[in-house]
Each structure stands twice: as C-alpha cells, then as structure tokens.
Amino acid sequence: MWSFILRRLLYNIPVYLGIILLVMVLLRVRNPVYAYLGKNADAKQIEEFEKSFGLKDPFIVQYGRFLWNGIQLDFGESWKYKGTTVREKLLGAIPPSLSITVPALVLTSLLSITVGLLSAFNRGRLLDRLLVIAAVLGMSISFLVYIIFGQFFGAALPRNVFGEDWPLAIVGYGDWYRLSSVDIFGLTIPVPDAMTWVKFCLLPVLISVVVAMGYDTRFYRAVMVEECNRDYIITARAKGATKSKIMFVHMLKNAMIPIITRIMTTLPFLITGSILLEMYFNIPGMGRTLITAITDMDYPMIQGFTAVIALLYILSIILTDVLYALVDPRVRLS
Amino acid sequence: MIQAGQPHSEPILSVRHLTTRFRTDLGLVTAVDDVSFDIHAGETVGIVGESGCGKTVTSKSIMRLLPERVSRIDPASKIMFRGMNLATASESRMRSVRGDQIAMIFQEPMTSLNPVFRIGWQIEEALKYHTDLNRAQRRQRSIEMLRLVEIPNPERRISEYPHQLSGGMRQRVMIAIALCCEPDILIADEPTTALDVTIQAQILNLMEGLKRKLNTAIMLITHNLGVVAQVCDRVLVMYAGRVIESGTVHDIFHRPQHPYTQALLESIPKRGRREHGKRLPTIPGIVPSLHHLPAGCRFAERCRFRQDQCVDHEPELLETSDGRAYRCFFPITQAPMAPTIGGSDVPA
Ligand SMILES: Nc1ncnc2c1ncn2[C@@H]1O[C@H](COP(=O)(O)OP(=O)(O)OP(=O)(O)O)[C@@H](O)[C@H]1O
Ligand SMILES: [Mg+2]
C-alpha cells in the first residue's frame, strides 16, 4: 500500500511542475506590472518595481525561486496589501471556506445517498417519482433564486431570533470571521464558534445543500439503480436478507467507488469554496479572496493561490486512488 | 396432477396450478401457465426446456424473488410448503424460508457473489439470519461448509474475495452458502451452464454427494438433458410456460411421449455414436412468443406429427396410472401408455 501511494506521488510530481510552469508563463504573457501599476506609471517606477520582485531575472531563475520558496510555503508579499504575506492571506481564507463547504458536503452527501438509495430501491413507485421530480425541480431552480429566497427568508424572520445582527448574516458583514479565532504557529486563524457559525453560515450551507441535492440525488440514484440489477442482490435476497440489509450493506459498499469518486472530485472545492456563495454572503474565503486578487492584479496572490489549489487537486486525486484500493478488493492486487 | 415417483411419502413441496404473469410494454404475458408438480424429501427433480420456457420464473415464483412491480402470481396458484402457501405468504415469512428451508443457487457464479465482501462473511451472513450461532461458531461453521464443498485451505479461503476464486470455486461457495442452514430444498438454476465441462461434472457430483449427506431435495433447472440423466429422479419438460411432459428419468429417456421431448432427446450428442460429418438434429423453428401464443398446441408449429386438431385445440395434460403425464393428442408410444384420467373426449 505504501509503495502504491509513493508511486502515485512520484508520478504526479512532473504533472505539478508542469502546472506551475504553465501558470507562471500565462501570468507573464502581458507584463503584470503594467497592469498592476496602471497607465500613469513611468518607466522608472516600473523598472524599480520589477527589480524588487525579481521579475528582471531570467524566467528559469524565477521558476526555480518560486518552487524553492513554495516548498517552504513562502509565496511572497501581496502587492495590494503591503506588509501582508500571501501565506497569511491563504491561511486566513481557508477556515471561512471550510466552515461552509464541509458541513454542506457532509449534509448533501448523506442526504442524497440515502434519498438515491430509497429512490432506486423503490424505482417506478410513487415515492421514487416524487423524489425524482423534487430533484429535477431542485436542479432547475438556479442559485440566484435560492439566494433571493434566502435573503427574503432571512430578512423576514423576527430580528431577535439569533440576536440583533441576524439579517446582517445575509449580506454585508464581511468581518464575521474576526469574531472568534485561534492562534496557530503564531498566526491568527479565524474559526467561528457555534453561535457565530449558526448566525453566519447556516443559511449559505442550507442553500448549497438544496442546490447540490438535486444533482447528487440523481447521480446516486443512477448508481444505485445499476447496483439493484446486479446478480448479488438476488443471491442476498435468496439468503433471506432484509431490504435494508441489501440496501445499506450490500449495495452501499458496492456503490462506494462511484460515491468516493464523486465526493473526491468535490474535495478541492471544499477549500476553494463556492465563489458565488462567498461573493454573495461576503464570506472572506478562498474563492472570494482569489477573485478579488484577480481583479486587483495582485500577481503574487494569484500565483500562490493557484499553486496551492493545483496541489490540493492532485492530492485529492491521489487520495481517491488510495480510497479505491481500500474499498475495492479487486483494485488492491492490480 | 402429476403423481409422485414415491407415492407413499408426503411431498415437501407441492406446486399446484402455478401461473405467473408479467406486465410488459406489449401487455400481460403468462410466463408460467398452470404448472403443477411435487418434490419429495431427498429427491432430485429436473426441469428442462429451451431458453425462455419459464424455468427460472417457476423457481423464482417459489422463492418469491420476482420483481414485485411487474410480476404477479395468480391467486389461484398454490405453492404448499410445510403447511404454508408460499404464493401468498408475507414477505417476512418468505425471508425466514429463503436461505433456511429453501435455498437457491444461480447460473452465473462469476457475478452471483458480492464482489466486495469476503467469502467467509457471505456464508456467515446466511447463518446470522437463520441461526443463533455466535460469531466464532459462525466462522467455524463456514469453514466446515467450505470443507464440505471440497474447497482446499478453507481457513485461508474464508478471508479471500470472490475475484480470487475460479468460476468452479465460486459455484462451490454458492453451494456452501445455500446449504449452510441445511435446507429442505435446494433450487439450482442452471448451476453448471457457465462452467466448463470437467468442472460441470465435478459440481454435479458434489451436489449429488451433498444431497445424500444432508438429505436435501434438489430442483435442478437445466436445458441439458445429459445433466438430467446423470442426476435426476424425475423430470418436468416445459415448453412456452407449460409443462408438456413429466415422469421418471427412465420413462422420459426411454419412452418419451411428447414429440418435443423426443426432439430434445435426439439433439443430445451421444457418446460413441458420433458419426463424422453428420450434424446433430436440431428442432426447427423457434419457441412461440408469449405475446402471440397459438390457439392450439404450443409446439404444433414445430411438430413433425402435427395434425389439424393440434392447430385448433390445445391438448390437456394427461396423467397415466404410472405417474407420467403428457400434453399431446398423438403421443409417440400409445399402446403401453393409454391415458386413464380425463381422456374420454380426447382421441387416444
Ligand atoms: N421481468 C420480466 N418481465 C417480463 N417478462 C419476463 C420477465 N422475466 C421473465 N420474463 C419472461 O418469462 C419467460 C420465461 O423466462 P425464464 O427466465 O423463466 O426462461 P428460462 O426457461 O429460465 O430460460 P433460460 O434457459 O434462458 O434461463 C420469458 O419469455 C421471459 O421473456
Ligand atoms: Mg433461466
């Protein structure tokens, strides 16, 4: 198993180096400094700026330096926020994203796997039809409608249910994460406590659950319908297994591979967060921070964030392979 | 009704007028039509017939394993087993019968086992549902069962996965699962069709031996008459959902009454009698579609002895005093086999 993991890691090193190369090349197609400093900057200013960030060095030197510093999680200083490192920005942006995406993913997966199982097992019956209609309905209604609905819902609730600032949770309260934080390695990392979480994260979480449920339910239902037609189901029934044993033991374990794949492909998004939700609810997570950095032309930030996100993708793919091997005995040998 | 081979003992399973219908896109079809037979303790009953004649549906009707939504067992059907009518028994009642009193093995050993659970777990599962054995005892019992079905190294095999076993080995595991609660009846639906010939013989021998050892009755579904000759006591020949002939293996093989049975027998390759360049006779034509069943005898279209009467009227199932039955106006050897029951309006 360990050699399997090691092999996967080694395979992916050239892939990762290629991604970094591509990102750095793309960021230098037009001189980022011109874009950052604007039209009014004179040649001397540009020259100095480029020198101070090592942009005058040959590309290969810049590439090597970025990699070397990147290994130490040092992506330099933000252009826009002078005195703040990209690393600080990164570490600060991850918890707000996670506090939305993790509960959303867990809830969505548990609910839609169960609903998909029930729907598949009762396929063709009334229950299945209703669930399918609900899923299609959920998919057809866009994010925006949910958000508008959420705003109405949130604003319409009595003001003091969750305290005075409840409606502020909907929009325009960017500092919520400062309300509570923990110190790790000398860095202040914002982590919401339970009450703060309910106030500021519950609604975005519920919205993303409802939006994702439709897609996930349909996917898991299709997976389970396929499992329903396998021969081992009849064998289990012929043994005297109950329906719930068949569904939640026999079928679920077989369906773990597509389930893991689906969940794993969404893992990187856990960290990057939902850009739409983060923009709308003013959540200072990875998605919003990256978008802001792009509009600000904050080139060290873009580079650093992209490098980290690419790394997370690759790691999640490796993790997927490892989990496959754990779940499916047939993968273990080959 | 079909008389038992051993008329003295009470049958353990008694199927009467079993009729199973399916709802399809083209309308209702009757896949099993008025099938009756008995199984006695410890005997092997074969069900033979071409593909699609309703063998699997018959066995799944007994186990009530048909898809509930599209299938329906006619309420007049009776599947009497230990005083209960399985045709109308509740699902929880059926669960206690399945795997414990009536067990089943299937054609495809490669896919019938659950690929993601260990062999031992899959045997123990049946024990968990039907016995009070504790964990260690269940484990002990599944090792015993693997030994019984002659799998080498059962202590090691028990923690292997199905993909680590060959097809023949998997079918042995299926047999171990089926027999671990010592059922009264083992339904084997083409258990050797997917296996190669030498393995087929091994599996059949194994089933024979275990049947003796455990006194389990076997309902063996096959389209291979050679297999029937090897292991069965009595045979039921089915055609397009109907029983067209039944009797002891000896009778069926030596004095078939129905032209279809005869044609089936002719299409078995006979050892030693193979002549080079000569092809085995096959039965011309195909089984009629269940959606367009003929008004007369269902075999008439393919029958070499067909008369006008056969096309217009369907013959009744005639039972003879010696426990045979056939569904034909013009049985092949009439003289010694004169019908005795209900034969007055039918020309003998
Ligand atoms: N779920 C179903 N829906 C509709 N028709 C069905 C269904 N299952 C079986 N049938 C029909 O019932 C008939 C009998 O099928 P069955 O599987 O019993 O044949 P069989 O004798 O076992 O054949 P084989 O030798 O191929 O296994 C077939 O014509 C088939 O089309
Ligand atoms: Mg069949």
Side-chain angles (χ1 to χ4, degrees), chain B residues 75 188 206 292:
Chain B
L206 177 72
H292 308 285

Side-chain angles (χ1 to χ4, degrees), chain B residues 21-218:
Chain B
R21 299 195 176 85
F22 285 101
R23 204 170 61 210
T24 69
D25 293 338
L26 298 171
L28 214 59
V29 296
T30 307
V32 172
D33 202 345
D34 196 19
V35 166
S36 302
F37 62 93
D38 287 334
I39 296 182
H40 294 260
E43 83 173 329
T44 303
V45 175
I47 299 190
V48 291
E50 276 167 288
S51 192
C53 68
K55 306 181 296 286
T56 298
V57 174
T58 303
S59 62
K60 286 192 176 165
S61 299
I62 295 171
M63 287 289 263
R64 293 268 305 280
L65 286 175
L66 291 167
E68 285 164 43
R69 255 176 353 97
V70 296
S71 69
R72 193 167 147 80
I73 299 177
D74 191 282
S77 312
K78 282 211 161 59
I79 305 170
M80 298 309 294
F81 176 74
R82 292 191 167 188
M84 26 175 183
N85 184 0
L86 300 186
T88 55
S90 69
E91 176 62 21
S92 69
R93 199 65 188 266
M94 283 312 300
R95 270 203 303 274
S96 66
V97 171
R98 288 182 201 133
D100 190 21
Q101 290 153 12
I102 306 181
M104 193 162 178
I105 59 174
F106 305 91
Q107 178 172 349
E108 280 301 331
M110 301 312 268
T111 55
S112 293
L113 291 165
N114 193 327
V116 299
F117 289 98
R118 294 174 199 277
I119 303 297
W121 187 93
Q122 302 197 43
I123 304 176
E124 285 169 42
E125 189 190 11
L127 295 168
K128 208 160 65 192
Y129 298 144
H130 303 295
T131 66
D132 302 325
L133 301 180
N134 64 29
R135 246 196 139 97
Q137 290 167 323
R138 286 202 299 263
R139 189 165 185 82
Q140 202 48 47
R141 174 89 179 136
S142 35
I143 292 174
E144 262 168 47
M145 285 312 297
L146 287 186
R147 193 167 290 131
L148 200 64
V149 296
E150 293 159 20
I151 289 184
N153 287 323
E155 293 85 357
R156 225 189 45 229
R157 289 290 182 183
I158 200 169
S159 47
E160 287 186 346
Y161 288 93
H163 73 270
Q164 291 166 283
L165 274 62
S166 66
M169 282 295 165
R170 289 189 215 184
Q171 197 61 293
R172 285 169 193 268
V173 172
M174 285 296 291
I175 294 172
I177 293 174
L179 296 183
C180 68
C181 299
E182 307 203 338
D184 297 329
I185 303 173
L186 171 68
I187 300 178
D189 189 351
E190 312 205 15
T192 59
T193 309
L195 303 173
D196 64 52
V197 186
T198 47
I199 309 291
Q200 272 186 25
Q202 288 174 13
I203 295 285
L204 287 173
N205 285 338
L206 177 72
M207 285 173 57
E208 264 295 283
L210 290 175
K211 179 190 103 166
R212 296 246 155 78
K213 217 179 272 180
L214 307 172
N215 196 34
T216 309
I218 296 179

Side-chain angles (χ1 to χ4, degrees), chain A residues 197-219:
Chain A
W197 187 85
V198 169
K199 244 190 268 178
F200 297 102
C201 302
L202 187 61
L203 199 58
V205 164
L206 287 183
I207 286 172
S208 50
V209 168
V210 175
V211 169
M213 273 281 287
Y215 295 94
D216 276 15
T217 303
R218 273 174 57 98
F219 174 81

Side-chain angles (χ1 to χ4, degrees), chain A residues 84-95:
Chain A
T84 314
T85 61
V86 174
R87 173 165 58 171
E88 276 173 309
K89 278 285 191 187
L90 253 174
L91 292 178
I94 289 174

